[in-house]
Amino acid sequence: MRALIAGGYGGVEVLELADRPVPQPGPGQIQVRIAAAGLNPADLRLVSGVFMESAPVAFPHVPGSDFAGTVTATGEGVERFAPGDEIFGLGLARAAGGMATALSSPPSFTTGTMAEYALFDADTPALAPRPAELPAEHAAILPIAALTALPLLRAGDYTAGMSVLVIGAAGGVGGAVVPLLAARGVHVIGTAIPEDEAYVRGLGASEVIDYRSADLTEETLRRHPGGVDGLVNLALPGPSLPAVTLAVRPGGRLLNIAFPSPDPATKIETVYTRARPGDLDELAALAVKGVLPSTVTRRYPLEEAARAYADLVERHVAGKLLVTMGRASAGR
């Protein structure tokens, strides 16, 4: 099979397309023919070496977490899925260890989704059947983005009429956070450059602030003198956040997902991606209803997967980038 691999630690320059043996499922595992895989910045963190001591990677390593595909074989003891089932979800490399445990229980491990075939542990809420009405390309970009958005909405307990400032509204997670907030009747103020304003408004934002041409705190308070009801940070590194919190009214919720996290003394709560039983089914239903739109803005064949990751790192990206596998061969 063809797969994108990293031969060692580094940046996108260590990624290359290679032929690899098709992985065979062991007990409790399923083999999946990948149809499409969504890109996430976290895919590159293990390869970068930032977690080298706590999560050493075995090379060659296939990156990729989000996917949609077809079950092609099952290992001993698997009853949840059968060959021919259309599924979607995410998995992390076994090197991720504790991160995978925090993501779901039982944890979700994979051999890497930037390949024609991948293995997954079957018994995890991070995998779910894909409804026939949900295209594979749409399903493949939902898992990490939407499973980050759901915990944010639960932590914020947002209701109709509230005002929430979303920093990084045009990014991958913003493509789930903004429409889910808008569906609750929340007045969303998103940050974006002018080129992305129409995209962010299309997601459901009522207002857009160009963070490059205006001081974010001052502009928010000019528009909302009493401050907004909540802040959801999807982009700014932790040390940059305290100044922006002045735009939130006293008692408002301050939530963050960006890395590195802010100092706990700031009372800004960092929320982590989490898959609970039934979450993916809920998200699939919302996508079918049109509440969660497809945010794919660029597509790449597997042969150009390394370039896709380079674009993710080096270019301004709105929405999600997607790699499609085409027709997979069952050989090497």
Side-chain angles (χ1 to χ4, degrees), residues 4-331:
L4 184 70
I5 66 166
Y9 288 114
V12 293
E13 74 280 354
V14 304
L15 302 176
E16 62 179 355
L17 198 68
D19 287 329
R20 300 290 299 162
V22 176
Q24 300 302 314
Q29 294 181 320
I30 56 174
Q31 179 194 75
V32 176
R33 182 173 66 245
I34 305 295
L39 277 69
N40 294 284
D43 296 345
L44 298 174
R45 286 191 187 141
L46 283 178
V47 176
S48 74
V50 67
F51 300 121
M52 190 183 304
E53 294 186 4
S54 60
V57 176
F59 296 103
H61 168 77
V62 178
S65 301
D66 285 356
F67 80 98
T70 308
V71 177
T72 45
T74 60
E76 180 183 351
V78 174
E79 298 181 356
R80 185 182 177 200
F81 298 112
D85 288 350
E86 298 291 338
I87 68 171
F88 77 111
L90 76 147
L92 299 179
R94 291 199 177 272
M99 287 180 278
T101 302
L103 170 69
S104 66
S105 181
S108 181
F109 292 113
T110 182
T111 52
T113 62
M114 288 296 159
E116 291 178 313
Y117 290 86
L119 298 182
F120 298 87
D121 292 324
D123 186 19
T124 169
L127 303 181
R130 176 175 66 85
E133 303 89 346
L134 180 62
E137 291 191 3
H138 190 172
I141 54 93
L142 284 175
I144 284 184
L147 288 173
T148 304
L150 274 185
L152 282 167
L153 267 67
R154 288 166 178 158
D157 194 24
Y158 303 109
T159 56
M162 295 180 69
S163 57
V164 176
L165 175 63
V166 178
I167 301 175
V173 178
V177 168
V178 173
L180 288 176
L181 284 172
R184 292 191 176 192
V186 172
H187 182 93
V188 178
I189 306 104
T191 69
I193 61 175
E195 292 84 347
D196 295 335
E197 179 170 352
Y199 169 77
V200 172
R201 287 187 180 275
L203 293 174
S206 300
E207 301 179 49
V208 177
I209 296 176
D210 177 8
Y211 60 89
R212 290 182 177 176
S213 64
D215 180 274
L216 185 53
T217 303
E218 291 179 359
E219 181 61 16
T220 302
L221 289 173
R222 185 185 70 81
R223 301 184 186 194
H224 301 268
V228 293
D229 297 310
L231 166 69
V232 175
N233 176 53
L234 310 177
L236 286 179
S240 302
L241 277 181
V244 186
T245 63
L246 297 175
V248 182
R249 65 168 179 79
R253 295 303 304 272
L254 308 170
L255 301 178
N256 168 70
I257 69 160
F259 179 85
S261 299
D263 188 325
T266 62
K267 297 184 179 180
I268 302 170
E269 179 184 354
T270 294
V271 178
Y272 298 96
T273 306
R274 177 74 178 173
R276 304 194 316 196
D279 278 356
L280 282 177
D281 299 300
E282 177 183 347
L283 294 168
L286 290 170
V288 170
K289 291 178 181 177
V291 174
L292 279 173
S294 173
T295 57
V296 177
T297 53
R298 297 179 196 162
R299 293 172 175 80
Y300 305 77
L302 180 58
E303 290 81 2
E304 297 179 11
R307 182 168 71 86
Y309 276 112
D311 287 349
L312 182 66
V313 172
E314 299 166 3
R315 299 177 62 178
H316 172 75
V317 174
K320 296 285 290 185
L321 305 186
L322 182 81
V323 167
T324 57
M325 305 303 162
R327 191 176 186 85
S329 167

